Amino acid sequence: MMPTDIIEPDPFNAIVDAPFDSALSERYLVYALSTITARSLPDVRDGLKPVHRRLLWAMRLLNLDPAQGYKKCARVVGDVIGKYHPHGDQSVYDAMVRLAQSFAMRYPLVDGQGNFGNIDGDNAAAYRYTEARLTQVAIDMMDGLDEDAVDYRPTYNGEDHEPELLPGLFPNLLANGAAGIAVGMATSIPPHNAAELFEAAILLIDQPGATDAQVLEHVTGPDFPTGGIVVDSPAAIAESYATGRGSFRVRARWHVEDLGRGTWNAIVTEIPYGVQKGKLIEQIATIINDKKLPILADVRDESDSEIRIVIEPRARTVDATMLMESLFRMSDLESRVSLNLNVLDSRRTPRVMSLREALQGWVDHQFIVLQRRTAHRLGKIADRIELLDGYITAFLNLDRVIEIIRTEDEPKPVMMAEFDLNDRQAEAILNMRLRSLRRLEEMELRKEREGLEAEKTGLEALLGSDARQRTRLKKDFGRLRDRYGLETALGKRRTTIEEAAPAREIPLEAMIEREPITVILSQRGWIRAMKGHIDEATAAELKFKEGDAAFLHFAAQTTDKILLAAENGRFYTLAADRLPGGRGFGEPVRAMIDLDGDIGIVALLPASRAEKLLVAATDGRGFVVRTADTIAETRKGKTVMTPRLGAKLKIVRAIDPAADYVAAIGDNRRLLVFPLNELAELARGQGVQLQRYRDGGLSDAITFVFANGLSWAMGGESGRTRTESDLTAWRAARGAAGRMPPTGFPRDNRF
């Protein structure tokens, strides 16, 4: 019988009995680690993510040096995704485009030709239209790749090899910054000035134990490709850099352009990093259309190769600083750029570093690169000296060498035995050309060997001395610092570090167009605001829903804050400009605030009416409160009075600044007058007893000027008032019972 082939089961079809949560967590952890280490976080040593590293490597193999011509981006992207990075072509091209954008990269690594997008937010052209080559910065990043400066690894398919990281003599991580979102962590590093980074790196070479403060003497703050002004304090910047976490407030750079005759425009010449100019213009235009900033009239984009945004004020009397500070608050003319220095360290472990630690990680890598390049060069020198020794031996015994070659069938072993040569030397001699046998060649070989011996001695001394390595690295850093120096066009600092003065409180009038209105509240709590100030006759003709009627109305401005006081002692704040219009019956005020329907409304008045208010409950307790202390910031309102059990807030009246006395009258028709200074001024509480009652409670209370007496309306259609000038009979201490009011006082016991 023929043996039966044994078919091995497919391991991918096998069913594994395992807890679902552990299986899921193991697989998700693999994905998370892959995302963190091989996609989203940059390496502290060269500051690159894998996709950027592979892009530069592919472009280097295509010989796209700055001195060479451009090649189509499609060719580069094809090589990258075919050989090194098996991901989507669009994602690779997007990464390449960013490396070429001068408004995104402080020191672009790719020199693009064609449409690579713009600061307005427009996308780049397709990769079949654009061309690219490397910049000098990228060449500096890869300097040493041919000298064993870094390790190589096989590509994903094993057909080729790629560097695990770049030598990175340019401090790319901090100079160009980085941004990425991994799984459970992210990174956000703003760009910095390379010359300042080189100065700080030289400091770390001289003083490995330098503090964060010493490093910040050289690195003053971010240096964005789009310029702008960082307005944080030095202390806040130092704190962010010391912890590796924080943010920077970046403002647009602007100046006033005088148009003559007192007119002017504000001109924005630099916008914050990462802000798209097109969206910024739309944002400011929306502010104008929505009338959120009445002192702003127009915005125009007059940019060409340079940014020029024209901001036109409503009138020449507008304060330019107030206008711009308002726009800083309301638009992306001021934005925050976050700092999260979360990178892969030399062991490819993600962690948040301080600025000094990140810079130190790069400097340590440069020492390793220097040592590896030196060792590699020593190996090359040793190989060359070995060959030169063979050549010189051949020249010294030229006739015998020629004789051996001519007469022997196998000249190599004979030469090796006679002249004590190794296989490599003998092979090199046999491969020499006849033209090399001239006398001059021997002199050049000896000269070359002497030069290599001298270089070898110097490199061995370098490799064996930490001091020499520090000196060499400082020299290399100094050379690049001069190339990207502050006096060069590319290296000149673009972002200014200026601590902004404390932000001024922008007057409400600047945000809202000031217009007269009449606020109307019905008995059922429907509120509306009519344009203009109406008279009593017009007010009498107002229409309300069936079963509803007028409760109160008053004149105000759209810039006012309207205070609403409820029976439970809570005060609510309404913006006058956001009240429903006068057409129709308005809207329920309770829908604008968190006020239950069973809680009555006591008062509605503009906050600007008086600096202080008199508040009192039905049990006769009350106090004076500052109007500013009653303004609430949320729909929930603010508790001002806390009435005792069974009592409710009854009175809220504005206090005349000249008033010196309080008049209170109870349901028992007893009137009491006492000095205002006997009443406590509180921000919150139950207050003190205004008047004492045997039965009933407080009916009304008011403040007035004692010398002027107390006045009240006579009633009827006459519109006359009566004034009681001598109130001595009713004057007593606070908390007294009072006595019957003057003859003719209103029967409803209301002032």
Side-chain angles (χ1 to χ4, degrees):
M1 293 179 63
M2 296 293 293
T4 305
D5 293 337
I6 299 175
I7 302 175
E8 294 290 337
D10 187 349
F12 293 103
N13 288 335
I15 298 176
V16 179
D17 187 8
F20 181 74
D21 58 345
S22 62
L24 183 64
S25 63
E26 288 172 8
R27 286 155 177 77
Y28 191 77
L29 183 61
V30 172
Y31 161 71
L33 290 175
S34 173
T35 303
I36 292 167
T37 60
R39 184 182 302 179
S40 299
L41 297 190
D43 195 298
V44 72
R45 295 168 289 182
D46 63 1
L48 294 174
K49 301 177 186 178
V51 63
H52 300 134
R53 197 176 293 123
R54 289 163 175 166
L55 270 164
L56 298 182
W57 173 244
M59 293 180 73
R60 183 177 188 271
L61 295 184
L62 288 172
N63 294 320
L64 293 178
D65 297 334
Q68 302 296 323
Y70 296 88
K71 273 191 172 66
K72 288 286 187 183
C73 292
R75 172 71 190 278
V76 177
V77 172
D79 275 13
V80 170
I81 64 175
K83 294 181 178 180
Y84 313 109
H85 198 69
H87 294 274
D89 59 337
Q90 191 58 48
S91 64
V92 173
Y93 181 53
D94 289 344
M96 183 180 182
V97 164
R98 180 175 170 79
L99 294 182
Q101 291 175 333
S102 59
F103 54 88
M105 299 287 286
R106 179 63 181 83
Y107 301 90
L109 301 177
V110 173
D111 176 12
Q113 183 170 262
N115 176 15
F116 276 80
N118 55 40
I119 199 170
D120 274 336
D122 298 328
N123 293 325
Y127 54 44
R128 63 181 177 273
Y129 299 119
T130 55
E131 299 177 338
R133 63 185 179 188
L134 295 169
T135 63
Q136 182 60 48
V137 180
I139 298 300
D140 291 335
M141 287 279 297
M142 294 185 284
D143 187 20
L145 279 177
D146 294 331
E147 302 172 38
D148 192 39
V150 294
D151 291 330
Y152 286 79
R153 65 184 172 201
T155 56
Y156 72 94
N157 56 10
E159 294 180 357
D160 211 330
H161 66 279
E162 61 178 339
E164 291 187 359
L165 71 159
L166 300 186
L169 189 56
F170 182 83
N172 183 69
L173 176 72
L174 294 170
N176 273 323
I181 300 174
V183 177
M185 61 180 65
T187 184
S188 178
I189 306 170
H192 294 79
N193 188 274
E196 295 179 356
L197 294 173
F198 281 121
E199 289 286 356
I202 292 172
L203 169 71
L204 290 177
I205 292 175
D206 287 332
Q207 303 178 39
T211 63
D212 292 288
Q214 289 175 296
V215 171
L216 290 184
E217 291 178 4
H218 299 285
V219 182
T220 56
D223 188 19
F224 300 107
T226 53
I229 305 171
V230 173
V231 296
D232 290 305
S233 66
I237 294 175
E239 174 68 18
S240 297
Y241 280 139
T243 59
R245 295 184 186 274
S247 63
F248 303 98
R249 284 172 54 213
V250 187
R251 283 184 176 180
R253 193 182 302 277
W254 65 283
H255 64 272
V256 173
E257 184 177 75
D258 188 2
L259 302 179
R261 297 185 179 180
T263 58
W264 56 273
N265 285 335
I267 309 298
V268 174
T269 55
E270 295 174 2
I271 61 177
Y273 180 63
V275 174
Q276 295 180 358
K277 178 163 64 67
K279 290 187 177 180
L280 175 63
I281 299 294
E282 291 179 11
Q283 193 179 47
I284 299 175
T286 301
I287 292 173
I288 297 172
N289 293 336
D290 294 347
K291 297 182 178 180
K292 292 182 179 179
L293 189 60
I295 58 176
L296 175 62
D298 193 16
V299 60
R300 298 191 303 276
D301 185 7
E302 298 181 356
S303 307
D304 44 27
S305 59
E306 301 291 333
I307 289 179
R308 178 182 167 87
I309 301 174
V310 180
I311 295 173
E312 186 178 324
R314 177 72 64 185
R316 67 180 70 182
T317 55
V318 171
D319 181 60
T321 304
M322 180 187 295
L323 173 62
M324 293 307 296
E325 285 190 359
S326 303
L327 285 174
F328 288 149
R329 292 189 176 199
M330 302 172 71
S331 73
D332 286 338
L333 282 175
E334 178 184 312
S335 68
R336 281 197 173 271
V337 177
S338 62
L339 171 69
N340 182 12
L341 244 167
N342 187 17
V343 294
L344 302 177
D345 62 16
S346 58
R347 293 172 296 181
R348 298 193 61 76
T349 302
R351 66 186 183 94
V352 178
M353 299 183 177
S354 68
L355 177 73
R356 185 194 62 77
E357 288 176 325
L359 201 56
Q360 186 68 60
W362 172 70
V363 171
D364 291 344
H365 173 58
Q366 293 310 307
F367 275 108
I368 295 173
V369 168
L370 176 61
Q371 292 162 6
R372 292 186 58 150
R373 292 180 69 178
T374 303
H376 178 266
R377 179 58 182 161
L378 281 172
K380 291 290 185 183
I381 289 175
D383 289 347
R384 182 60 180 167
I385 287 178
E386 182 183 41
L387 292 180
L388 291 176
D389 287 342
Y391 289 148
I392 292 172
T393 299
F395 273 104
L396 291 175
N397 304 278
L398 187 57
D399 293 338
R400 177 60 182 150
V401 168
I402 294 174
E403 182 182 350
I404 292 173
I405 294 173
R406 293 184 64 185
T407 58
E408 297 291 339
D409 292 336
E410 294 291 336
K412 183 191 289 187
V414 177
M415 289 173 54
M416 292 173 61
E418 186 167 335
F419 301 116
D420 194 21
L421 301 174
N422 59 33
D423 184 84
R424 187 165 172 265
Q425 290 174 321
E427 188 67 32
I429 292 171
L430 291 173
N431 289 331
M432 287 176 62
R433 294 184 178 184
L434 288 174
R435 70 174 60 180
S436 301
L437 301 180
R438 56 197 176 96
R439 180 67 183 172
L440 185 62
E441 191 70 22
E442 181 184 353
M443 297 171 59
E444 291 179 354
L445 290 174
R446 292 185 180 276
K447 184 178 179 181
E448 182 183 353
R449 193 186 191 287
E450 291 172 359
L452 290 176
E453 282 289 353
E455 184 181 355
K456 177 183 176 182
T457 303
L459 292 177
E460 288 175 341
L462 174 65
L463 207 54
S465 170
D466 291 341
R468 287 177 181 267
Q469 291 177 29
R470 290 196 297 270
T471 302
R472 172 62 183 274
L473 212 52
K474 283 163 59 178
K475 182 179 177 181
D476 291 344
F477 287 173
R479 174 171 51 84
L480 287 180
R481 177 195 58 198
D482 295 339
R483 178 178 294 171
Y484 304 106
L486 295 172
E487 66 283 350
T488 63
L490 180 60
K492 182 180 179 182
R493 174 166 268 281
R494 302 177 187 179
T495 301
T496 308
I497 312 296
E498 296 178 5
E499 183 179 0
R504 293 190 300 173
E505 189 66 31
I506 305 300
L508 195 61
E509 290 79 2
M511 304 299 172
I512 305 167
E513 197 161 357
R514 184 182 176 90
E515 294 178 351
I517 57 172
T518 300
V519 180
I520 303 156
L521 182 68
S522 74
Q523 292 178 357
R524 290 187 174 180
W526 287 67
I527 194 169
R528 51 184 150 156
M530 296 184 65
K531 289 186 177 181
H533 293 163
I534 63 175
D535 53 25
E536 291 299 325
T538 306
E541 297 175 359
L542 291 173
K543 303 293 185 183
F544 294 91
K545 281 181 172 289
E546 186 176 352
D548 201 0
F551 176 41
L552 56 84
H553 69 274
F554 56 85
Q557 302 288 335
T558 51
T559 54
D560 282 334
K561 290 182 177 179
I562 308 299
L563 300 178
L564 184 148
E567 289 178 341
N568 59 0
R570 294 187 74 86
F571 277 60
Y572 302 86
T573 305
L574 304 170
D577 64 307
R578 297 184 182 178
L579 295 177
R583 294 182 179 178
F585 302 114
E587 297 177 9
V589 72
R590 297 175 194 273
M592 304 176 188
I593 55 178
D594 293 343
L595 180 63
D596 293 339
D598 58 346
I599 301 175
I601 297 172
V602 176
L604 189 74
L605 72 162
S608 60
R609 179 167 294 181
E611 184 180 347
K612 297 180 180 180
L613 300 174
L614 171 66
V615 293
T618 53
D619 60 358
R621 300 181 72 87
F623 58 91
V624 174
V625 62
R626 293 176 55 85
T627 306
D629 292 335
T630 66
I631 295 175
E633 301 295 337
T634 65
R635 287 173 53 98
K636 294 183 179 180
K638 184 176 186 180
T639 299
V640 175
M641 190 172 204
T642 53
R644 292 191 296 183
L645 187 64
K648 297 179 180 179
L649 179 63
K650 178 72 178 277
I651 305 298
V652 178
R653 286 190 183 274
I655 297 177
D656 187 333
D660 55 358
Y661 267 72
V662 179
I665 189 167
D667 295 331
N668 58 4
R669 199 167 171 77
R670 299 281 182 171
L671 175 65
L672 173 67
V673 175
F674 62 89
L676 178 60
N677 57 20
E678 293 184 7
L679 201 57
E681 182 175 319
L682 306 173
R684 175 179 176 176
Q686 291 182 350
V688 294
Q689 198 72 42
L690 274 64
Q691 188 177 13
R692 179 168 46 86
Y693 315 102
R694 285 186 178 178
D695 53 359
L698 178 68
S699 178
D700 201 0
I702 194 172
T703 59
F704 66 100
V705 180
F706 189 79
N708 296 340
L710 195 60
S711 300
W712 59 85
M714 293 289 290
E717 298 179 359
S718 64
R720 292 184 301 162
T721 61
R722 177 177 172 181
T723 301
E724 183 67 38
S725 57
D726 185 8
L727 296 170
T728 307
W730 293 273
R731 179 176 173 178
R734 177 184 59 78
R739 57 181 297 182
M740 296 296 289
T743 305
F745 192 82
R747 300 302 303 176
D748 60 359
N749 295 337
R750 303 285 293 179
F751 292 108

